[in-house]
Amino acid sequence: MSESNARHNRVVWFDLPVVDLQRSAAFYREVLAVSVELHDFDGFAFGVFEHDEGNGGCLVPNPGEVADDRGVLIYLNADGRIRAAVAAVEANGGSILEPIHSIGPHGFRAIVRDSEGNRVALHSHADA
């Protein structure tokens, strides 16, 4: 994460709990069209989202924390490809909870359940 992002963005990192690390990494690779690198540190496996100079996050095996109907809703970047992202959801083991819809001057979102059961939002500035 760049110093600029840490200073100017309120969310600097996220941990997304998962049941099956391999399955969830495959889901997010397809839905977000980004890499998810799998790592192991002292016997703890996790997946890190491609983030270069942007804010990032990781997939953390922790089945007890997966929640599909409550808690924090994170918005994941599907800018300029939200239709392709939503089309990839069901094909990769997820489900669509709320189809693509306008959120006024803030763009568009779709709320989906990922392959692990987490509720997340896919966001784009354009309905494309």
Side-chain angles (χ1 to χ4, degrees):
M1 154 183 43
S2 73
E3 182 180 323
S4 177
N5 272 358
R7 185 172 56 247
H8 298 293
N9 289 303
R10 300 305 141 232
V11 176
V12 297
W13 190 264
F14 61 88
D15 287 349
L16 189 58
V18 303
V19 176
D20 182 313
L21 183 58
Q22 296 287 340
R23 179 179 63 204
S24 63
F27 176 88
Y28 283 108
R29 284 181 189 121
E30 292 299 316
V31 171
L32 298 179
V34 298
S35 68
V36 178
E37 280 190 37
L38 299 182
H39 296 273
D40 189 293
F41 181 73
D42 286 340
F44 181 74
F46 55 97
V48 178
F49 285 90
E50 169 188 328
H51 58 281
D52 299 320
E53 293 296 316
N55 297 343
C58 63
L59 303 170
V60 179
N62 194 344
E65 290 188 5
V66 173
D68 69 346
D69 62 346
R70 62 192 183 287
V72 174
L73 180 64
I74 62 169
Y75 284 61
L76 299 172
N77 188 349
D79 203 28
R81 56 173 306 282
I82 194 166
R83 292 192 178 281
V86 170
V89 168
E90 293 179 334
N92 288 279
S95 59
I96 299 164
L97 301 176
E98 293 181 24
I100 299 167
H101 58 279
S102 172
I103 50 175
H106 306 291
F108 296 84
R109 77 173 187 185
I111 300 178
V112 304
R113 183 173 294 120
D114 73 6
S115 62
E116 306 308 293
N118 292 298
R119 179 183 62 116
V120 297
L122 303 175
H123 177 266
S124 179
H125 287 97
D127 180 16

